[in-house]
Amino acid sequence: MKSLHEIKESFSIAYGAVKANKVRGMLTTLGIIIGIVAVVTTMTAANGLGNRFKESISVIGSDVLYVSRTPWVFSGNFFQFRNRNQLTLRDGEKLERQLHEAKAVNTRTFSNQNLKYRSTVLENVTIIGTTENHVLVSAGAPQYGRFIIDNDVQYKKQVCVIGWEIKDRLFKDVDPINKKIKIGRYHFRVVGVMEKLGSAGFFGGPNFDRQVMVPISTLMKCFGGRNRNFDIVVKAPSTEALYDFEYSVIGEMRKIRKLAPTEENDFSINKMDTLMAAYNNVMGVVILIGLVITSISLFVGGIGVMNIMFVSVTERTREIGIRKAIGAKKRSILIQFLFESSSICLIGGLIGLIMAYGVTQIINAFLLPASISPGIVIIAIVISVMVGVVSGIIPAYRASKLNPIEALRYE
Amino acid sequence: MQLEIKEITKNYKMGTEIVAALRGISVNLLKNEYLAIMGPSGSGKSTLMNIIGCLDTHSAGSYLLEGADVSKMNDDQLAEIRNQKIGFVFQTFNLIPRADVFHNVELPMVYSGISSSMRKKLAEEAIEKVGLTDRMKHKPSELSGGQRQRVAIARALVNNPSIILADEPTGNLDSSTGAEIMSVLDQLHQAGNTIILVTHENDIAAHANRVIKLKDGLVETDELNHKHFAA
């Protein structure tokens, strides 16, 4: 009860002190504002990068596993994967037959070829040999035309479905459906255009819009079927079941590959989480460094507050003497000045947050899908109050220790 | 017994030298006494006042305030004693410049933890006693010297202290305003308060009914004021 009155008193003193020195308070607050804007913007930009990455790999699908010869991301020795046998088309067929709980299975293979339409050439485009199951396992669907159907695969038809960017580059405003393009030395008829899928090119990953899909049988016919590596895409019954599903896939694959219980897997299971984890690993460090650097500006702001608090204590030495003479305890004086410094910082933090919101909107409009989350707001407020307490503690302690007689005599 | 001081000494360290400000002073004070402490500068009267007001601690001797031994208390306990038992009136008023009259008077009660409705009632009563009800919302800078000192007196009164300690209360005032302030103190004495007045002016000391004169850290004379008893 007693301390409640003191806190109320401290609050009104702090308010009065800030109000009485508006310009000084504003300048001091500016340091904190800049610091908070820097820290918050770093955090939102980091969030934005994370969102952009997630968006760009969302086409991979969160409930899909990719069985491949090598992992997508690996640290350490490549040679441990080099001697693995390639995954074959038969492996894919067997897995499709044996893995009953899978929603869909699709076997794919890749080739890089140049594209040509009239005089326009696109070099080194990823050609995916796939089946009609492709649309069942992956998120994308054709925007115009159709996808590859079983008939195309069965009769090795030279048809293709092109990615958004390919359509844009080769055809501009022309309707590409039923136009012939050259993939390598072969003519293919465009039957569909995929919707925009996004690109992880920003992070050095694949660009899903710069791909061409053809029937897997046609790809093997045109660009060679021997010594070719495949990967098998399997869709889990649900995202929640992914963990258990992964074990079933590993079990079936070991049977297919005829591995003895003592042998290690000679294939890898990849999924979206693998990429997310790799991203978090790398970006975690980058973001941490960013935060450390931006925190320096907050630290400088804190020093500014500490400086002003020393001035404020000196200026009000006599007032401290009066308060002590009429019965203020050390604690009351300490709370009074801590309140003052943390209010300055809290105000700075709130203004900083508002400005950071503006900066985030700009980032959002031009660069990244960044946003300020409630977590960031809470962190920013807590940090700014903490800066206030930390930078106020020494001046406040000094004030609380003042001798009342000397303080009263101070001119 | 309101106050019991026995053989108090106070030494200051000035560099390597030790200076004795008080060299063994004994004073007893009864309830509702009106005491003036006089003496030339350097006689130790400020030191004595600071010790009586619990702003400072003595080097040796004993000091009982309403039976409580002050010499054994720490800073926070002394702050509580100052808050509860002492009312200060200073020569330079010592009001908080940014706070209005009401808040200045209310402040000791904030530190003693009285509820705000009770504070309002008591502060208004005290302000009424010194006749400043119409100036409640004024800042000290908007008041005359005499009015400021009245605010200080109201603040000193508000926690109903054992002793009102007035250090040269008229020192910064012209003589007619000074007389006004002295009449306020006289009224408080008549209302039953114990008052200690520190002054070097004989006219002011004449208001008290007992005068102690200090010289070189010792009590020179301690006598009743005959004028009062002659009347």
Side-chain angles (χ1 to χ4, degrees):
Chain A
M1 195 60 189
K2 203 162 161 177
S3 21
L4 192 75
H5 292 307
E6 280 176 20
I7 286 170
K8 250 172 148 179
E9 170 73 9
S10 300
F11 186 76
S12 69
I13 294 168
Y15 176 73
V18 174
K19 213 174 77 174
N21 298 300
K22 280 192 197 91
V23 175
R24 195 169 84 185
M26 256 159 53
L27 289 176
T28 317
T29 313
L30 192 62
I32 299 297
I33 294 174
I34 292 171
I36 288 290
V37 168
V39 172
V40 169
T41 312
T42 309
M43 287 197 278
T44 54
N47 261 7
L49 272 177
N51 291 343
R52 162 61 65 85
F53 183 75
K54 239 182 249 170
E55 219 172 70
S56 68
I57 63 170
S58 65
V59 65
I60 291 172
S62 59
D63 55 352
V64 179
L65 295 178
Y66 292 73
V67 185
S68 336
R69 190 169 74 114
T70 55
W72 286 343
V73 188
F74 52 83
S75 51
N77 202 347
F78 172 69
F79 294 99
Q80 67 184 108
F81 311 116
R82 204 180 66 156
N83 293 332
R84 285 179 172 179
N85 287 328
Q86 286 176 331
L87 293 178
T88 64
L89 193 55
R90 279 193 61 76
D91 289 341
E93 284 164 0
K94 281 186 192 163
L95 190 65
E96 185 168 3
R97 245 193 338 268
Q98 292 170 23
L99 194 69
H100 302 294
E101 60 255 68
K103 253 189 187 168
V105 177
N106 182 37
T107 309
R108 308 182 304 175
T109 186
F110 299 88
S111 179
N112 281 322
Q113 301 292 335
N114 293 347
L115 293 189
K116 194 173 175 203
Y117 174 69
R118 296 199 173 158
S119 60
T120 320
V121 177
L122 283 181
E123 287 185 351
N124 210 19
V125 176
T126 306
I127 313 295
I128 304 175
T130 185
T131 71
E132 69 277 10
N133 282 352
H134 189 100
V135 281
L136 299 178
V137 295
S138 98
Q143 176 145 23
Y144 314 123
R146 62 169 176 88
F147 200 73
I148 290 157
I149 54 174
D150 57 350
N151 193 271
D152 298 330
V153 180
Q154 202 179 338
Y155 298 104
K156 300 180 186 172
K157 287 193 176 166
Q158 279 174 243
V159 292
C160 66
V161 177
I162 59 176
W164 182 263
E165 198 182 313
I166 306 279
K167 182 246 160 193
D168 218 37
R169 295 276 191 89
L170 289 185
F171 296 98
K172 303 233 162 53
D173 301 326
V174 180
D175 180 10
I177 303 297
N178 287 329
K179 298 277 185 315
K180 287 266 169 85
I181 61 169
K182 249 177 114 175
I183 303 179
R185 293 182 290 119
Y186 301 89
H187 288 278
F188 281 74
R189 186 165 57 90
V190 178
V191 293
V193 178
M194 291 301 280
E195 63 187 353
K196 211 166 162 64
L197 296 174
S199 163
F202 195 76
F203 302 95
N207 182 345
F208 301 109
D209 291 326
R210 200 172 187 275
Q211 293 175 336
V212 173
M213 277 163 285
V214 299
I216 189 166
S217 51
T218 320
L219 188 142
M220 288 164 71
K221 180 187 79 181
C222 296
F223 307 114
R226 275 192 198 177
N227 204 21
R228 173 164 286 287
N229 193 28
F230 293 84
D231 70 4
I232 308 160
V233 188
V234 283
K235 193 178 174 79
S238 67
T239 308
E240 294 74 46
L242 192 68
Y243 189 76
D244 294 330
F245 183 66
E246 188 174 337
Y247 278 97
S248 321
V249 173
I250 291 172
E252 289 306 325
M253 278 306 293
R254 287 185 67 91
K255 274 193 245 167
I256 292 165
R257 306 276 277 181
K258 300 197 170 63
L259 294 177
T262 51
E263 283 176 294
E264 278 189 41
N265 291 346
D266 63 348
F267 55 90
S268 298
I269 307 284
N270 293 300
K271 53 191 169 188
M272 198 161 88
D273 279 1
T274 325
L275 284 186
M276 267 328 279
Y279 169 84
N280 287 338
N281 252 343
V282 176
M283 285 312 283
V285 176
V286 174
I287 289 162
L288 190 72
I289 292 170
L291 279 179
V292 168
I293 293 171
T294 48
S295 302
I296 292 172
S297 61
L298 195 58
F299 181 72
V300 173
I303 292 175
V305 173
M306 190 187 287
N307 209 352
I308 272 316
M309 289 313 294
F310 274 124
V311 173
S312 181
V313 168
T314 310
E315 258 179 10
R316 281 189 283 162
T317 303
R318 206 187 165 91
E319 181 190 318
I320 295 164
I322 298 169
R323 287 181 186 274
K324 286 199 145 191
I326 61 173
K329 291 180 184 161
K330 279 184 198 159
R331 190 190 57 202
S332 322
I333 304 291
L334 192 78
I335 291 175
Q336 172 188 335
F337 282 97
L338 280 184
F339 237 95
E340 192 172 322
S341 63
S342 27
S343 323
I344 290 175
C345 290
L346 182 63
I347 293 168
L350 293 175
I351 298 174
L353 264 176
I354 294 168
M355 290 174 70
Y357 178 77
V359 175
T360 306
Q361 293 303 312
I362 294 170
I363 293 177
N364 214 347
F366 297 106
L367 283 171
L368 292 166
S371 64
I372 293 187
S373 66
I376 291 178
V377 171
I378 292 167
I379 290 172
I381 289 174
V382 170
I383 286 179
S384 48
V385 172
M386 258 169 53
V387 168
V389 171
V390 169
S391 51
I393 193 97
I394 300 172
Y397 182 72
R398 188 181 275 189
S400 75
K401 292 279 278 185
L402 279 177
N403 177 326
I405 301 170
E406 281 165 24
L408 279 172
R409 236 183 260 143
Y410 186 87
E411 292 297 330
Chain B
M1 195 80 75
Q2 214 55 357
L3 178 153
E4 231 179 316
I5 288 177
K6 245 185 228 150
E7 285 299 318
I8 265 188
T9 65
K10 177 72 186 177
N11 300 321
Y12 288 110
K13 234 179 169 173
M14 299 276 252
T16 51
E17 246 179 293
I18 290 173
V19 180
L22 300 178
R23 296 188 296 168
I25 285 182
S26 300
V27 181
N28 289 334
L29 196 67
L30 296 169
K31 196 169 165 57
N32 199 20
E33 263 196 284
Y34 195 171
L35 170 72
I37 298 174
M38 295 190 72
S41 66
S43 60
K45 61 182 193 306
S46 301
T47 308
L48 181 61
M49 194 210 69
N50 286 339
I51 289 172
I52 291 173
C54 295
L55 287 167
D56 205 350
T57 50
H58 49 273
S59 306
S62 78
Y63 173 16
L64 300 180
L65 183 62
E66 287 193 324
D69 189 352
V70 172
S71 46
K72 292 199 178 93
M73 290 181 177
N74 64 23
D75 285 359
D76 279 351
Q77 286 167 321
L78 288 176
E80 205 165 318
I81 292 282
R82 289 198 293 272
N83 184 252
Q84 304 287 331
K85 311 219 156 163
I86 313 278
F88 287 100
V89 179
F90 298 96
Q91 179 178 6
T92 50
F93 321 130
N94 280 343
L95 300 174
I96 290 175
R98 275 201 311 272
D100 61 14
V101 168
F102 175 79
H103 190 70
N104 264 295
V105 174
E106 164 192 57
L107 202 53
M109 295 187 287
V110 171
Y111 290 122
S112 52
I114 293 170
S115 74
S116 69
S117 56
M118 194 66 183
R119 286 207 302 265
K120 189 169 189 300
K121 184 175 158 267
L122 292 174
E124 279 171 2
E125 272 174 27
I127 293 167
E128 201 188 329
K129 268 187 209 164
V130 297
L132 285 177
T133 306
D134 55 334
R135 298 289 152 96
M136 202 102 86
K137 292 290 161 208
H138 287 56
K139 295 268 168 67
S141 58
E142 297 158 347
L143 301 175
S144 70
Q147 286 169 329
R148 287 184 210 184
Q149 197 60 301
R150 283 160 188 263
V151 177
I153 290 171
R155 183 180 66 188
L157 274 177
V158 82
N159 256 355
N160 197 21
S162 318
I163 299 169
I164 292 173
L165 206 53
D167 181 15
E168 305 270 12
T170 61
N172 275 16
L173 302 172
D174 62 63
S175 52
S176 66
T177 326
E180 231 178 82
I181 291 300
M182 286 318 293
S183 75
V184 174
L185 286 175
D186 292 348
Q187 279 164 29
L188 290 178
H189 172 240
Q190 267 149 35
N193 289 288
T194 313
I195 296 175
I196 298 178
L197 198 59
V198 178
T199 182
H200 62 268
E201 285 177 71
N202 283 317
D203 319 2
I204 302 299
H207 285 263
N209 50 23
R210 177 180 164 197
V211 179
I212 289 179
K213 284 189 177 160
L214 296 183
K215 199 182 177 190
D216 297 331
L218 288 168
V219 176
E220 194 185 33
T221 59
D222 180 354
E223 49 201 16
L224 296 176
N225 198 335
H226 299 296
K227 256 196 282 177
H228 278 267
F229 297 94

